[in-house]
Amino acid sequence: MTKKTSGFDLVLAERNDGTPKSRWLSEALREEIARGRLAAGTRLPATREMAAEYALSRGTVVNAFEQLKAEGYLEGSAGSGTFVSRTLPEELLEVRRPRSLKGQSAGRPPRSALLRLSSYGRRVELFRNFEIRPSRAFRANLPALELFPAALWAKVAAHRLRRVSMSLLLGCEPMGYRPLREAVAGYLGASRGVRCEPGQVAIVSGVQEALELVARLLLNPGDEACMESPGYPGAVSAFRAAGARVMPLSWKGGKLREAGLKGARLVYVTPGHQFPLGTAMSLAERLQLLDWSARSGAAILEDDYDSEFRYRGRPVPALQGLDRRGQVIYTGSFNKVLFPSLRLGYLVMPPELVERVEAAISIGNRHAPLLEQAVLADFVVEGHFGRHLRRMRQVYAERLGVLQESVAARLGGVLEITGIDAGLQTAAWLGRGLEGESAAAAAAKRGVEVTPLSRYCFRGTVREGLHLGFAAFEPKEIRAGVRELGVALEGLLRQ
Ligand SMILES: Cc1ncc(COP(=O)(O)O)c(C=O)c1O
């Protein structure tokens, strides 16, 4: 185990005049260890340094250290340094528990009169981030990280850092770094048909932050937010945290069921690539939605999370580009196109919302990290972003082909993939009476990760099926994953 150095100045409690110096020092250090501020394995400053710092004699410090060694709090010897013990005395663990926790059962949060939660505080729920676990086939929403041009990114970043200006170290306006906002407006106009000025673009940490911001700005507790079921659970969480009631948006025979939208204040859609089913919203459907929103006064939030990757047919322009009344708020992300930990995306809004979004960001994270924004702006403006996209589109199309072929060859009749044109993942339908939950559980036992489509339903049901990511996996991993999935599903069919 590597050894840690305390690395900071130890601020010890004041000494009462009457307390002998050595006892004061040992008590103060014991307290720091008990509270966990000096963690196990941390190296303490040398006795000479500590003596000078606290105007003590070296002998006093040596005595205090010896006392704590005898009690088991410290270990080490002259020459090798003094460390907080790795195995701390049993009774110390008791001391470490804050007084308010004593007598309460472990794991239950302390009840404190000072910590009475707001209604928001009680509502907000953890939205799990699957990206931080090691990836395996067929995790959805992941790009091919092994193909990210890290050396090129490092070169662009190093170039930017070498000529970093004072203003870049100071900060930027809440809406983001102007050259990046300009680059985003240009890119969205050319490739997604989005109509906006750079002033309407806010740089955020990703679609998730955009959803949360819009929910806070447009929804009051009790309002209705409508979206398709199955739909993106991150949106459900953001709307519910704002206190909204999440209601289903549905279509019948290509017609919008307006009756279900009567009370809606906000409608959330993924028209480019419905999450999780993967269908694109037709032009006729888009026009109906816009028409309804103009009549009802409800806003539309368009999440264009992965339409960059279209493998067949012409790209479908964004709904925002068809909007003539300023009802559509548009959001997208660099996190899926480049790499998930980048945490940069954009929110494009009608002009009337700009000031409100700016205010909300200014009291939240103040602005997205500026150096990352500047590096990304260079990456886009220098043409690397466009090249990366084109390359990935080819790679993902090939991976999708491998998935479709292997599923057809190995799992015909048991699992079926139909008509996927875009994105990093696809829906696949289960046959022969198989159910998504049991299929996912059996697959997990064989090291394959799939999500039942039913898990994305906040209302009603969906045909039994699975959500499979393919973009992040090399052809041989895809083939092996399909083989294992096949064994898992056949096992279920035999039961
Ligand atoms: C439909 C959809 N919207 C939004 C997001 C979140 O995007 P970001 O990482 O930019 O917050 C995801 C991520 O998985 C998604 O699938």
Side-chain angles (χ1 to χ4, degrees):
M1 200 212 253
T2 51
K3 298 200 165 169
K4 293 171 266 179
T5 307
S6 74
F8 50 81
D9 295 332
L10 278 174
V11 181
L12 299 179
E14 288 282 302
R15 183 171 74 89
N16 286 336
D17 279 349
T19 324
K21 289 179 179 167
S22 164
R23 202 171 91 208
W24 161 74
L25 182 59
S26 57
E27 276 174 5
L29 286 173
R30 201 184 287 113
E31 177 77 8
E32 293 299 302
I33 297 170
R35 287 183 176 275
R37 285 197 290 254
L38 275 176
T42 303
R43 181 199 277 268
L44 289 186
T47 49
R48 205 182 299 277
E49 247 177 64
M50 196 134 187
E53 173 101 2
Y54 286 92
L56 301 167
S57 74
R58 190 161 164 242
T60 303
V61 180
V62 171
N63 283 345
F65 279 18
E66 288 308 316
Q67 174 64 32
L68 292 172
K69 276 184 203 165
E71 291 173 17
Y73 288 91
L74 297 180
E75 60 191 17
S77 55
S80 72
T82 305
F83 299 88
V84 177
S85 295
R86 269 161 230 287
T87 21
L88 292 165
E90 232 353 75
E91 62 275 24
L92 172 61
L93 300 174
E94 190 52 30
V95 180
R96 189 181 271 181
R97 286 180 82 193
R99 275 187 182 82
S100 60
L101 269 179
K102 283 188 184 164
Q104 291 205 13
S105 63
R108 203 178 304 150
R111 282 179 185 276
S112 157
L114 291 173
L115 284 181
R116 271 182 310 169
L117 292 172
S118 67
S119 55
Y120 171 85
R122 286 195 298 274
R123 276 193 307 265
V124 67
E125 283 186 352
L126 180 70
F127 178 54
R128 288 208 177 276
N129 182 359
F130 293 105
E131 280 144 3
I132 57 181
R133 292 185 313 192
S135 76
R136 55 183 190 166
F138 295 99
R139 173 140 351 134
N141 286 321
L142 274 187
L145 296 180
E146 81 283 5
L147 297 176
F148 177 70
L152 182 59
W153 181 266
K155 206 167 131 197
V156 174
H159 186 245
R160 168 58 67 176
L161 282 170
R162 270 197 302 272
R163 61 193 163 99
V164 73
S165 63
M166 297 271 259
S167 64
L168 219 51
L169 294 177
L170 273 170
C172 66
E173 33 178 348
M175 298 284 279
Y177 180 54
R178 188 76 196 187
L180 182 58
R181 296 168 71 196
E182 284 164 7
V184 167
Y187 160 65
L188 293 178
S191 72
R192 304 291 309 118
V194 170
R195 293 145 51 104
C196 69
E197 296 295 325
Q200 290 166 258
V201 177
I203 303 299
V204 289
S205 69
V207 169
Q208 195 60 45
E209 185 186 349
L211 294 177
E212 211 266 337
L213 267 173
V214 170
R216 257 190 298 141
L217 289 172
L218 298 193
L219 297 171
N220 287 312
D223 282 349
E224 277 181 19
C226 291
M227 57 184 278
E228 286 162 307
S229 177
Y232 180 53
V236 178
S237 299
F239 301 153
R240 286 198 176 141
R245 287 182 298 137
V246 182
M247 306 298 278
L249 160 87
S250 59
W251 303 85
K252 190 165 187 199
K255 291 261 172 296
L256 182 65
R257 286 185 145 159
E258 290 192 14
L261 300 179
K262 276 212 180 81
R265 208 171 159 116
L266 179 70
V267 162
Y268 163 83
V269 280
T270 46
H273 189 221
Q274 202 277 346
F275 185 97
L277 302 182
T279 43
M281 194 183 283
S282 70
L283 181 64
E285 288 168 339
R286 287 165 196 247
L287 293 173
Q288 281 180 66
L289 198 56
L290 286 170
D291 174 58
W292 164 81
S293 129
R295 281 185 279 115
S296 69
I300 299 175
L301 176 52
E302 175 177 20
D303 175 355
D304 206 19
Y305 66 107
D306 72 355
S307 319
E308 282 85 2
F309 302 114
R310 171 149 295 277
Y311 312 117
R312 264 189 296 264
R314 276 190 305 129
V316 191
L319 181 65
Q320 194 270 6
L322 298 171
D323 175 27
R324 296 289 175 271
R325 293 191 171 87
Q327 293 288 125
V328 178
I329 305 165
Y330 174 92
T331 178
S333 178
F334 289 105
N335 304 322
K336 303 284 171 285
V337 181
L338 295 174
F339 54 98
S341 68
L342 178 62
R343 300 309 305 153
L344 286 175
Y346 38 83
L347 178 63
V348 180
M349 69 216 80
E352 309 82 75
L353 205 57
V354 169
E355 211 183 277
R356 300 290 79 209
V357 167
E358 187 174 26
I361 296 177
S362 77
I363 61 154
N365 61 8
R366 300 190 70 171
H367 60 71
L370 183 49
L371 282 174
E372 276 85 345
Q373 291 190 64
V375 172
L376 177 57
D378 294 345
F379 199 78
V380 175
V381 171
E382 290 169 21
H384 309 306
F385 179 71
R387 268 192 295 281
H388 181 60
L389 268 186
R390 285 192 290 278
R391 178 162 174 244
M392 289 302 100
R393 207 172 283 137
Q394 274 178 3
V395 170
Y396 296 163
E398 185 202 331
R399 292 181 177 188
L400 170 61
V402 172
L403 177 69
Q404 286 172 314
E405 276 166 32
S406 334
V407 166
R410 178 76 178 73
L411 292 170
V414 179
L415 193 69
E416 195 195 347
I417 297 175
T418 49
I420 145 139
D421 300 329
L424 307 175
Q425 58 258 337
T426 181
W429 306 110
L430 285 163
R432 302 188 43 199
L434 287 171
E435 285 175 357
E437 280 295 344
S438 42
K445 286 196 188 131
R446 302 206 59 92
V448 177
E449 188 173 318
V450 291
T451 309
L453 291 173
S454 54
R455 271 199 213 154
Y456 299 120
C457 290
F458 60 90
R459 196 55 87 78
T461 53
V462 63
R463 187 177 155 192
E464 292 295 336
L466 301 172
H467 204 212
L468 308 180
F470 54 82
F473 311 103
E474 290 181 15
K476 69 171 185 311
E477 276 179 276
I478 294 178
R479 290 192 188 97
V482 170
R483 232 180 0 257
E484 291 304 314
L485 185 59
V487 176
L489 298 182
E490 279 151 13
L492 284 178
L493 286 172
R494 276 197 302 273
Q495 280 175 16

